[in-house]
């Protein structure tokens, strides 16, 4: 069994008595020893591990303490069955997890993201050869292409009239966003997180909020992270632009036409349907039902949101 072999390998290489090895997801494990606990994370390429080790160290040195660092006390990287493993500090989670459904969490999350950007602006120039440039347009075009390719399976669950509307929204958004993208440019680009899903904000047992998981970091305008954050929280705001305008740091962008066009891209709908088809789970009712419910239950609110934002673009 893989976990048992990994257990034996770690015990030998680290020369510690491991009490618990628990798989969290993919190549990510929780490890508890006699003396401490840590997170073990695997990477297919040594370069990716080294970038993560370097970036989290730079972030800590910059004064951003609401994250983790990697332990770099090994002379040689941990390498087991074609995967390089790094050891990260373990943050004891709170009994009450961070959630976008809570007003305080939404604001605290965007506050922390803003602090992250403030620090990474000063780091970006040192990482230009290590990190890709953010390319939201390419990502959105690819997501739309995949969605169109998956339509035969998606339309088994959702009417064509509805998916046609999603594509109209995507096309309108992309047309305006491509034309005005330079309006989002900032004097000093930042290193972006790239995946501001709720599970990448971790509330510690002491109540402190941490930003975790930097696998998708890139260099670009902070507007890209802010757009993604807005898209993640809008379902919890009933897709009301007025509610979005009450959130500090996000509201600063609502006078920017390019940002408004970006808000109209149905990123979450296309992402979730594409993921369902990619994972070959579209015949699994337990995986399909939540996505169908999200699609149908929010449709009218999304329609109204589209109309509301378009009024600002006239």
């Amino acid at each position: 069994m893989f976990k048992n072999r990994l257990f034996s390998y770690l015990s030998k290489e680290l020369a510690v008595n491991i009490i618990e090895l628990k798989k969290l997801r993919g190549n990510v494990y929780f490890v508890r020893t006699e003396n401490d606990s840590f997170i073990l994370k695997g990477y297919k390429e040594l370069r990716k591990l080294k970038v993560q080790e370097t970036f989290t160290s730079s972030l800590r040195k910059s004064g951003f303490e609401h994250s983790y660092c990697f332990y770099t006390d090994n002379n040689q990287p941990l390498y087991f069955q074609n995967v390089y493993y790094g050891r990260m500090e373990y943050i004891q989670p709170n009994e009450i997890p961070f959630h976008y459904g809570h007003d305080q969490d939404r604001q605290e999350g965007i506050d922390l993201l803003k602090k992250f950007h403030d620090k990474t602006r000063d780091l970006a120039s040192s990482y230009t050869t290590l990190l890709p440039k953010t390319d939201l347009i390419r990502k959105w075009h690819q997501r739309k292409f995949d969605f169109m390719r998956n339509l035969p399976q998606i339309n088994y669950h959702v009417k064509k009239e509805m998916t046609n509307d999603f594509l109209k929204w995507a096309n309108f958004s992309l047309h305006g966003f491509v034309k005005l993208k330079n309006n989002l440019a900032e004097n000093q680009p930042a290193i972006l997180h790239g995946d501001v899903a709720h599970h990448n904000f971790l509330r510690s047992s002491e109540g402190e909020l941490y930003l975790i998981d930097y696998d998708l970091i890139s260099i670009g305008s902070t507007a890209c992270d802010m757009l993604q954050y807005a898209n993640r929280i809008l379902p919890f705001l009933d897709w009301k632009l007025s509610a979005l305008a009450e959130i500090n740091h996000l509201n600063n962008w609502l006078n920017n036409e390019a940002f408004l066009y970006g808000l109209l891209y149905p990123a979450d709908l296309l992402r979730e349907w594409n993921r369902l088809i990619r994972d070959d789970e579209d015949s699994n009712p337990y995986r399909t039902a939540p996505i169908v419910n999200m699609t149908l239950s929010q449709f009218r609110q999304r329609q109204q949101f589209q109309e509301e934002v378009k009024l600002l673009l006239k």
Side-chain angles (χ1 to χ4, degrees):
M1 185 179 178
F2 176 84
K3 197 167 81 168
N4 290 341
R5 294 195 297 272
L6 179 60
F7 186 102
S8 299
Y9 170 80
L10 292 173
S11 299
K12 178 182 177 182
E13 290 296 317
L14 299 177
V16 295
N17 182 19
I18 298 176
I19 298 172
E20 181 181 9
L21 174 64
K22 181 171 70 174
K23 183 172 183 175
L24 301 179
R25 63 184 184 279
N27 281 328
V28 183
Y29 296 84
F30 167 76
V31 182
R32 182 163 61 93
T33 72
E34 284 183 327
N35 300 319
D36 66 353
S37 298
F38 59 87
I39 297 295
L40 185 77
K41 187 167 184 176
Y43 297 85
K44 292 292 186 181
E45 300 174 21
L46 179 59
R47 178 186 178 279
K48 291 184 177 180
L49 170 58
K50 291 302 178 183
V51 167
Q52 291 296 308
E53 289 178 346
T54 303
F55 174 69
T56 52
S57 176
S58 298
L59 194 58
R60 179 68 61 83
K61 290 176 183 176
S62 76
F64 188 83
E65 297 182 349
H66 293 264
S67 188
Y68 52 77
C69 276
F70 282 78
Y71 296 111
T72 55
D73 48 359
N74 290 0
N75 293 326
Q76 296 294 328
L78 297 169
Y79 184 67
F80 181 73
Q81 294 196 358
N82 300 317
V83 175
Y84 295 93
Y85 287 94
R87 298 193 302 130
M88 299 183 294
E89 295 171 338
Y90 173 65
I91 303 167
Q92 178 71 41
N94 200 292
E95 292 181 357
I96 303 175
F98 176 92
H99 196 277
Y100 282 148
H102 304 143
D103 292 348
Q104 183 178 340
D105 283 358
R106 289 193 296 267
Q107 186 59 62
E108 196 173 348
I110 199 73
D111 288 343
L112 185 59
L113 186 60
K114 173 66 164 52
K115 291 177 183 176
F116 171 79
H117 290 155
D118 289 343
K119 295 298 183 182
T120 64
R121 279 193 182 90
D122 294 332
L123 299 176
S125 60
S126 301
Y127 283 83
T128 52
T129 60
L130 295 176
L131 299 179
K133 290 185 177 180
T134 306
D135 192 347
L136 205 53
I137 293 171
R138 183 196 61 79
K139 178 181 178 180
W140 283 354
H141 272 298
Q142 184 63 52
R143 189 168 288 181
K144 188 188 77 167
F145 175 80
D146 292 341
F147 185 81
M148 293 172 65
R149 183 183 58 194
N150 292 330
L151 277 176
Q153 290 155 280
I154 297 170
N155 286 142
Y156 181 81
H157 304 281
V158 180
K159 291 181 179 179
K160 288 183 179 180
E161 292 80 4
M162 193 170 285
T163 53
N164 286 342
D165 277 347
F166 301 158
L167 289 172
K168 288 178 184 176
W169 299 346
N171 287 331
F172 181 85
S173 169
L174 278 167
H175 178 76
F177 192 78
V178 169
K179 186 170 61 176
L180 298 171
K181 64 178 181 178
N182 290 338
N183 291 358
L184 298 177
E186 297 174 304
N187 292 332
Q188 190 175 3
I191 296 176
L192 308 184
H193 184 275
D195 187 11
V196 292
H198 71 91
H199 53 257
N200 286 330
F201 290 89
L202 176 64
R203 178 82 62 192
S204 75
S205 56
E206 290 82 20
E208 293 291 322
L209 189 62
Y210 289 79
L211 184 60
I212 63 174
D213 195 349
Y214 301 102
D215 288 352
L216 297 181
I217 52 176
S218 62
I219 297 176
S221 167
T222 60
C224 297
D225 267 353
M226 294 298 183
L227 272 171
Q228 190 182 93
Y229 195 92
N231 185 260
R232 292 282 185 170
I233 68 173
L234 272 166
F236 300 98
L237 302 175
D238 296 326
W239 289 90
K240 291 180 179 178
L241 187 62
S242 58
L244 200 64
E246 294 177 1
I247 298 178
N248 294 335
H249 312 308
L250 275 179
N251 51 16
N252 298 337
W253 287 101
L254 296 183
N255 292 322
N256 186 302
E257 285 194 358
F259 192 86
L260 292 175
Y261 273 107
L263 284 178
L264 296 178
Y265 189 85
D268 57 334
L269 278 174
L270 273 56
R271 179 189 65 242
E272 293 305 318
W273 279 109
N274 288 340
R275 181 182 296 162
L276 188 76
I277 305 302
R278 185 188 67 226
D279 294 345
D280 197 23
E281 292 280 2
D282 54 303
S283 60
N284 180 345
Y286 296 102
R287 286 287 308 277
T288 304
I291 300 175
V292 172
N293 180 63
M294 176 190 75
T295 304
L296 300 180
S297 65
Q298 296 181 18
F299 182 71
R300 294 301 176 194
Q301 292 176 329
R302 289 174 185 265
Q303 261 188 334
Q304 292 172 1
F305 179 77
Q306 292 277 326
E307 294 167 4
E308 189 178 5
V309 173
K310 285 177 182 178
L311 286 174
L312 299 177
L313 293 169
K314 289 184 178 179

